[in-house]
Amino acid sequence: MTRLTGRRVLVVEDEALVAMLVEDALLDAGAAVLGPAATVSEALLLLDRENPDVAVLDLNLAGETSTPVADVLAKRGVPFVVATGYGAEGLPPSHAHVPVLAKPYDPDDLTAALGRLCN
């Protein structure tokens, strides 16, 4: 068992191949996957219906920032990791403390980072 066993993980990722790899890694780690959501509106709709334990957010969704999703997660106290090719510099100041995984990343690094956020 891992720290992700039974945890509900929201995945916000617009690249289909990356989303599938993330989903597979999370399922292998015992997590329940919410999504993946490819747009901010899809992610916000999921959050209207679901309450994840933790989340992974791509910062740039086809030119649209996922900051509104990050804001909702932060307001609810849901920890999250930002996965981005832009590095920590792309984070808005309100989320500068959030862990960042630089793309491309190893799926094991993602599951480890999410596991550290689950208490």
Side-chain angles (χ1 to χ4, degrees):
M1 283 183 41
T2 70
R3 287 182 175 213
L4 293 179
T5 300
R7 303 290 185 153
R8 298 163 54 81
V9 182
L10 173 65
V11 176
V12 181
E13 173 59 63
D14 64 333
E15 294 180 42
L17 183 57
V18 173
M20 288 188 299
L21 291 171
V22 167
E23 185 174 16
D24 286 347
L26 293 171
L27 291 172
D28 287 347
V33 176
L34 306 176
T39 65
V40 169
S41 59
E42 285 177 29
L44 293 175
L45 282 173
L46 271 172
L47 286 170
D48 283 343
R49 299 188 313 258
E50 306 282 351
N51 194 28
D53 297 303
V54 67
V56 56
L57 304 181
D58 182 359
L59 191 60
N60 183 343
L61 303 172
E64 181 181 28
T65 179
S66 63
T67 301
V69 180
D71 292 343
V72 170
L73 292 169
K75 185 175 181 179
R76 290 187 186 179
V78 176
F80 59 95
V81 170
V82 171
T84 181
Y86 298 100
E89 310 81 50
L91 290 176
S94 59
H95 299 295
H97 65 284
V98 174
V100 174
L101 279 176
K103 285 185 174 180
Y105 55 84
D106 185 299
D108 290 338
D109 292 339
L110 173 64
T111 56
L114 291 172
R116 285 190 294 274
L117 295 176
C118 294
N119 295 324

